Amino acid sequence: VATQGALSDSPYAPSPTRHPLDPTSMSPALPQGGKISTANVKSALDWELYRTYGLPGPGSYECTGKVMGSIDREPGITLSKGKRQSTLDTVMRLAGRLPGPGDYEMSDPDSIQARLQRQANRLAQTHALSQSQRHAEHGGLGG
């Protein structure tokens, strides 16, 4: 109990009377309404104008040498001379491979029901198998 008294008498012990909650006494004086910088920073447009200042404008100079698209360009590699297909051309080509109405015979409804029943049975077997594997992995705990 004697240590409590010694600790509470310490000038560093927290106490509302020793540490007033006056915000001005707890923070250093900051300038009010000061400027961070006085620099005149260029905008993106200013930088573009600065970069292109002095460059010749369109049509103010003569092209010398060979330019892509000119008739007398140098021989090189050609990847393809075929006409490029548009998206619509591709969709039409792929749709042409699909059967349309009347291109196939309808199955007997009974055979459709039998096929659906087989698929349902397979799904049930797969589900039961996965449940038993999960049960075995968890040592018989959980479902």
Side-chain angles (χ1 to χ4, degrees):
V1 181
T3 56
Q4 276 185 337
L7 186 60
S8 64
D9 293 336
S10 168
Y12 302 108
S15 166
T17 58
R18 287 198 184 98
H19 302 286
L21 295 177
D22 182 15
T24 58
S25 68
M26 293 174 27
S27 63
L30 296 175
Q32 298 296 317
K35 286 187 176 181
I36 293 176
S37 173
T38 58
N40 187 11
V41 180
K42 286 182 170 59
S43 68
L45 179 61
D46 292 333
W47 278 112
E48 193 62 24
L49 290 171
Y50 176 77
R51 185 186 67 81
T52 58
Y53 181 77
L55 292 178
S60 62
Y61 53 90
E62 292 293 322
C63 293
T64 58
K66 302 197 187 275
V67 179
M68 285 217 32
S70 65
I71 296 172
D72 59 341
R73 69 183 153 180
E74 297 177 18
I77 303 171
T78 302
L79 297 178
S80 173
K81 292 186 181 199
K83 181 185 171 204
R84 183 180 171 138
Q85 283 191 342
S86 69
T87 305
L88 180 61
D89 293 332
T90 304
V91 168
M92 289 174 54
R93 181 176 48 83
L94 293 175
R97 297 179 186 171
L98 299 175
D103 287 345
Y104 52 92
E105 291 184 30
M106 290 294 295
S107 301
D108 182 18
D110 293 332
S111 66
I112 292 174
Q113 287 293 338
R115 183 174 42 141
L116 290 174
Q117 186 61 44
R118 284 193 305 271
Q119 288 176 349
N121 291 342
R122 272 186 259 146
L123 183 61
Q125 289 173 351
T126 304
H127 181 69
L129 180 62
S130 68
Q131 289 287 8
S132 65
Q133 287 176 344
R134 193 176 309 135
H135 186 70
E137 287 174 0
H138 296 290
L141 301 175

